[in-house]
Amino acid sequence: MGIRVIRSGLLTTIQDLGRFGFQKDGVIVSGAMDQFAHRIANILVGNEESEGALEMTLIGPTLAFEEDALIAICGGEFEASIDGQEVPLWRPILVKQGSVLTIGHCRVGCRAYLAVAGGFHLPKVMNSQSTYLLARIGGFQGRALQKGDVLLLRESGRKLELLRFYKNKTLLPFIAMSWGISFGLRAYFYGSPKTIRVIRGAQFTDFTTQSQECFLTQPYEVTPQSNRMGYRLDGPSLERKRSTEMVSEAVTFGTVQVPAEGKPIVLMADRQTTGGYPKIAQVIAVDLPILAQTRPGERIVFRDISFEEAQRLYLQREFELKQCKKAIISKMGE
């Protein structure tokens, strides 16, 4: 019983919101690249926002449901169908036992998250279910999903309530709720080039005036040499006023470092714990999901804002999520 993997997709792993408290020991945080979509998917099925979910990249998996399940798929615009019938994203879906979910190519964006009511029955490693691929810990046996894997599910009261009400009311292999997340809230990764807001980093003034201007006005392209650890960018090279050695410092999700060749690297979910390159900027928390949904070949433009504005935007986004959660709980109770 559970969910059986028929086809694994390009890179499908279990991720929650990260493994915190162990960076001092050299253990990276990991976690979902797009935490906004991850959190919404969990909210839609009645889970805690931090519950582990499947993270899919560019090409999704094919999954056979060996038991009834309540799911939600949020994030990039992936092709998705159950037994050949198109499935809507960003809303709760009751999948009947024996159905097969096929998630194909991503048309817009880069990643999506599949949350299951109750969550996956997997152990936590250092307080997290997140998969750390290089160390082979967390998630499903510390690796990406493979054909033949079976993911066991934990029981969910929300799923049982919906089953009693809906299961015998249709012959379809799934039931999608008539409501979902509005386009305005989920359209954050559309458009090109994408604007990524940053606050100036600790070494911003170490760069020449021309480099500072180029960084904040010229487009950069995400290269194919980008992954969950970092996005390598191609665009104007950035030069420092003086070439000096730096002592390694702490880094975080969205830190923009500039190595000696002058091409920026944006550190992502699987970033290292410290870095010795100068930090020209820090991507604000609200725009990290936009970056996570940017695929190789797409362009971004950095724009600097104040620390106070970044805080205001963060509080606004958290308020929107709180209101969204209230509305979902109200809908589920109807």
Side-chain angles (χ1 to χ4, degrees), residues 54 76 94 97 107 112 142 168 178 187-188 199 217 244 271-273 292-293 316 319-320 329:
L54 290 183
L94 189 60
Q97 181 180 4
R107 295 182 290 251
N168 297 319
S178 60
Y188 53 92
I199 56 176
T217 59
T244 56
R271 63 201 174 273
Q272 70 273 22
T273 58
Q293 294 293 352
Q316 178 182 321
F319 177 77
E320 291 170 349
I329 292 172

Side-chain angles (χ1 to χ4, degrees), residues 10-11 28 40 53 59 63 71 75 86 100 142 150 165 176 191 214-215 220 262 265 294 318:
L10 183 63
L11 178 65
I28 66 173
I40 291 283
I59 303 173
L63 307 170
I71 70 168
E86 186 176 353
V100 175
V150 176
F165 187 78
C214 283
F215 177 74
Y220 283 87
I265 301 171
T294 303
E318 290 302 306

Side-chain angles (χ1 to χ4, degrees), residues 2-126:
I3 299 176
R4 182 176 298 275
V5 179
I6 298 175
R7 179 175 58 85
S8 61
L10 183 63
L11 178 65
T12 305
T13 60
I14 300 285
Q15 300 291 343
D16 55 23
L17 295 183
R19 182 172 287 108
F20 291 94
F22 300 95
Q23 291 184 86
K24 66 183 186 301
D25 303 309
V27 180
I28 66 173
V29 174
S30 296
M33 289 276 278
D34 180 350
Q35 295 193 0
F36 179 76
H38 178 282
R39 292 169 68 186
I40 291 283
N42 272 316
I43 291 171
L44 284 169
V45 298
N47 291 344
E48 293 294 324
E49 296 175 28
S50 58
E51 187 64 51
L54 290 183
E55 180 180 88
M56 303 162 283
T57 305
L58 291 174
I59 303 173
T62 299
L63 307 170
F65 285 75
E66 299 178 345
E67 62 180 272
D68 298 319
L70 176 65
I71 70 168
I73 305 168
C74 298
E77 196 177 291
F78 279 74
E79 301 166 347
S81 63
I82 294 178
D83 293 353
Q85 299 185 55
E86 186 176 353
V87 173
L89 309 184
W90 296 91
R91 65 178 64 185
I93 301 165
L94 189 60
V95 184
K96 293 184 179 179
Q97 181 180 4
S99 302
V100 175
L101 168 65
T102 301
I103 302 177
H105 290 73
C106 184
R107 295 182 290 251
V108 183
C110 187
R111 294 174 173 84
Y113 297 84
L114 187 154
V116 181
F120 296 101
H121 191 65
L122 292 168
K124 290 187 176 183
V125 177
M126 287 178 270

